[in-house]
Amino acid sequence: MQTTLVRSRFRPPQVSRRFIPVWRRNFLVWRKLALPSVLGNLADPMIYLFGLGFGIGMLVPEIGGVSYISFLAAGMVCSSTMNSASFEVLYSAFSRMHVQKTWDAIMNAPVDLDDIVFAELVWAASKALLSGVAILLVIAAFSLVDTRYVLWLLPLIFIIGVSFGALGLVMTALAPSYDFFMYYFTLFITPMTLVSGVFFPAEQLPAAVQFVASLLPLTHAVELARPLLLGKAPDDIVLHLGVLVAYGAAGFWIALGLTRRRLLG
């Protein structure tokens, strides 16, 4: 009986086009505060980019043949995308699910929980895309972008948003309160940011740490974004994309199963 129940909760996702109105509802709510939201998402990465880029850049003239601030720009695009998607599926989605009971209200309409969770994932990736594009425009204004491959960054940013949005939804399904999310940021997001090549080449790390970093999604995001920003084609594109897609697909499936258990019993 218990095994059957577990299988029922973790059955394959059944998503329909009914997720679109849920996505649109989130967009319309966000649109009322769009400008402060975008500026808020820009502030933190821009402080890091120009503070560290010009500060450390005075001590480290070049990395891999490019200026340190150009090297850092790709890392900021990826980490900002990660943070934007994570904050949306953690704090905002948790509010809609647990505090405001918005999900319960939506399920009174002919919309399944699968559609709601998928809509949250797509919305988080969409919002991350908006944040990523805003950062790209800023760094392009400072001539830190080679425009030859820059358009390929747009689908990449969306995929990164999906990957981290799915991982964040797992935490949302498990969280008893907002305080729970501090463990996720402290024990996962922050260490990953430090070892994934955002601020310095991962090759400088000990071999064991490099191996762990190679398993993390942010590493693969940076490995794709940095060459594209510098006007080069990335190496091992299939591998890096495969890892990001795998995290997104597995994370969504697990998050959906945990959410079914939490809300549907």
Side-chain angles (χ1 to χ4, degrees):
M1 182 67 179
Q2 186 67 26
T3 302
T4 303
L5 184 59
V6 171
R7 288 177 178 173
S8 176
R9 290 167 178 164
F10 289 91
R11 66 185 182 276
Q14 297 177 333
V15 177
S16 71
R17 286 184 292 182
R18 286 174 290 184
F19 84 90
I20 297 175
V22 183
W23 178 94
R24 184 173 180 272
R25 180 261 173 204
N26 291 342
F27 170 73
L28 292 175
V29 172
W30 170 84
R31 192 174 64 177
K32 298 176 182 178
L33 298 172
L35 184 58
S37 176
V38 172
L39 293 178
N41 289 330
L42 274 174
D44 192 56
M46 290 300 102
I47 290 172
Y48 276 104
L49 178 63
F50 294 112
L52 294 179
F54 289 118
I56 296 179
M58 297 296 292
L59 304 174
V60 184
E62 289 188 352
I63 294 182
V66 300
S67 66
Y68 180 70
I69 191 170
S70 296
F71 175 89
L72 185 61
M76 286 296 98
V77 170
C78 293
S79 64
S80 177
T81 301
M82 172 187 70
N83 287 329
S84 178
S86 297
F87 272 98
E88 183 61 29
V89 296
L90 294 175
Y91 293 97
S92 298
F94 183 77
S95 295
R96 290 188 283 267
M97 177 190 71
H98 181 70
V99 180
Q100 301 169 352
K101 303 295 184 182
T102 303
W103 292 11
D104 290 336
I106 294 174
M107 283 190 288
N108 288 322
V111 179
D112 294 332
L113 181 61
D114 295 32
D115 296 317
I116 295 173
V117 178
F118 186 68
E120 292 287 350
L121 177 60
V122 177
W123 167 241
S126 303
K127 191 174 178 183
L129 176 61
L130 293 172
S131 299
V133 169
I135 295 172
L136 280 176
L137 292 174
V138 172
I139 63 178
F142 285 86
S143 301
L144 300 176
V145 177
D146 190 312
T147 58
R148 280 177 289 180
Y149 295 101
V150 70
L151 291 180
W152 288 105
L153 281 164
L154 302 182
L156 174 60
I157 290 171
F158 187 84
I159 293 171
I160 296 170
V162 169
S163 297
F164 286 101
L167 294 176
L169 282 171
V170 175
M171 297 297 105
T172 298
L174 295 171
S177 67
Y178 292 111
D179 294 335
F180 182 81
F181 300 136
M182 290 304 300
Y183 297 107
Y184 181 63
F185 280 100
T186 302
L187 300 177
F188 182 64
I189 294 294
T190 299
M192 178 170 55
T193 303
L194 294 176
V195 302
S196 295
V198 173
F199 299 108
F200 51 83
E203 292 78 12
Q204 296 181 358
L205 297 168
V209 180
Q210 287 187 47
F211 174 74
V212 173
S214 69
L215 303 177
L216 300 174
L218 186 59
T219 299
H220 296 275
V222 173
E223 287 293 327
L224 288 171
R226 182 162 286 132
L228 292 174
L229 271 173
L230 298 176
K232 304 174 184 176
D235 297 324
D236 301 320
I237 296 175
V238 175
L239 170 64
H240 299 312
L241 281 178
V243 171
L244 291 173
V245 171
Y247 267 102
F252 174 65
W253 195 329
I254 294 170
L256 183 56
L258 293 172
T259 306
R260 287 169 178 159
R261 183 182 68 178
R262 177 167 183 162
L263 297 184
L264 302 180

